[in-house]
């Protein structure tokens, strides 16, 4: 949790931007288009599917609204950095929020088959754009 060391939020953002630069450089060297796909945590986009467990964790960990907002803020900053660096980015938050079905497995909160299908549909559009160029 970043509240123990708020400066770690800044460090995390800096580290993420450095990784973007490194990935972009590696892809450029190999003439590959780097596409960043932002896959958010379930708690940011489909909290209703895990609400009782989530509420319990929030209570036990004494999390504040600021604590809960940190992942979304870091995601926003990552997308801003990607734009600044000319890295194509796909933000899956709107697609996952719009889904009426869970995009995550309840057992471990990784994206499930539907989540993967939504990501694949976004990447399919990128591939089609690349083939048309």
């Amino acid at each position: 949790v970043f509240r123990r060391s708020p400066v770690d939020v800044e460090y995390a953002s800096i580290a993420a931007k450095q990784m973007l630069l490194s990935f972009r450089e590696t892809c450029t060297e190999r003439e590959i288009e780097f596409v960043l796909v932002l896959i958010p945590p379930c708690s940011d986009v489909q909290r209703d599917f895990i609400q009782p467990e989530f509420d319990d964790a929030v209570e036990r960990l004494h999390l504040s609204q600021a604590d809960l907002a940190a992942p979304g803020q870091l995601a926003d900053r990552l997308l801003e950095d990607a734009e600044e660096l000319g890295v194509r980015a796909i933000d899956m938050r709107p697609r996952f929020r719009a889904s009426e079905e869970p995009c995550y497995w309840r057992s471990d909160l990784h994206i499930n088959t539907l989540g993967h299908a939504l990501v694949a549909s976004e990447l399919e559009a990128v591939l089609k754009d690349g083939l048309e160029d």
Side-chain angles (χ1 to χ4, degrees):
V1 177
F2 289 116
R3 73 169 174 233
R4 290 188 186 140
S5 180
V7 72
D8 286 348
V9 174
E10 185 62 25
Y11 292 149
S13 292
I14 291 168
K17 187 172 185 177
Q18 290 301 315
M19 286 189 293
L20 280 176
L21 282 166
S22 178
F23 295 154
R24 184 188 71 177
E25 181 179 310
T26 299
C27 289
T28 299
E29 289 170 359
R30 292 171 173 81
E31 298 181 6
I32 299 169
E33 181 183 6
F34 171 39
V35 180
L36 169 71
V37 179
L38 178 75
I39 299 175
C42 182
S43 59
D44 278 2
V45 292
Q46 291 195 321
R47 192 175 294 170
D48 291 348
F49 294 116
I50 58 164
Q51 198 65 55
E53 298 91 343
F54 184 80
D55 290 343
D56 184 52
V58 167
E59 183 178 327
R60 288 175 184 260
L61 296 171
H62 307 287
L63 299 176
S64 69
Q65 288 304 313
D67 296 326
L68 299 177
Q73 292 167 347
L74 286 168
D76 290 341
R77 181 135 175 218
L78 181 64
L79 294 171
E80 290 168 9
D81 289 341
E83 183 175 354
E84 175 190 322
L85 297 171
V87 172
R88 187 173 189 169
I90 299 171
D91 182 357
M92 293 304 301
R93 293 178 294 183
R95 291 287 305 267
F96 285 10
R97 282 186 184 120
S99 176
E100 294 181 13
E101 297 296 320
C103 295
Y104 300 84
W105 298 112
R106 285 188 64 84
S107 59
D108 64 9
L109 300 182
H110 286 85
I111 59 173
N112 62 17
T113 307
L114 174 60
H116 282 281
L118 293 174
V119 171
S121 71
E122 293 291 327
L123 288 171
E124 180 181 29
V126 170
L127 291 173
K128 284 181 181 178
D129 286 349
L131 292 174
E132 292 173 0
D133 291 343

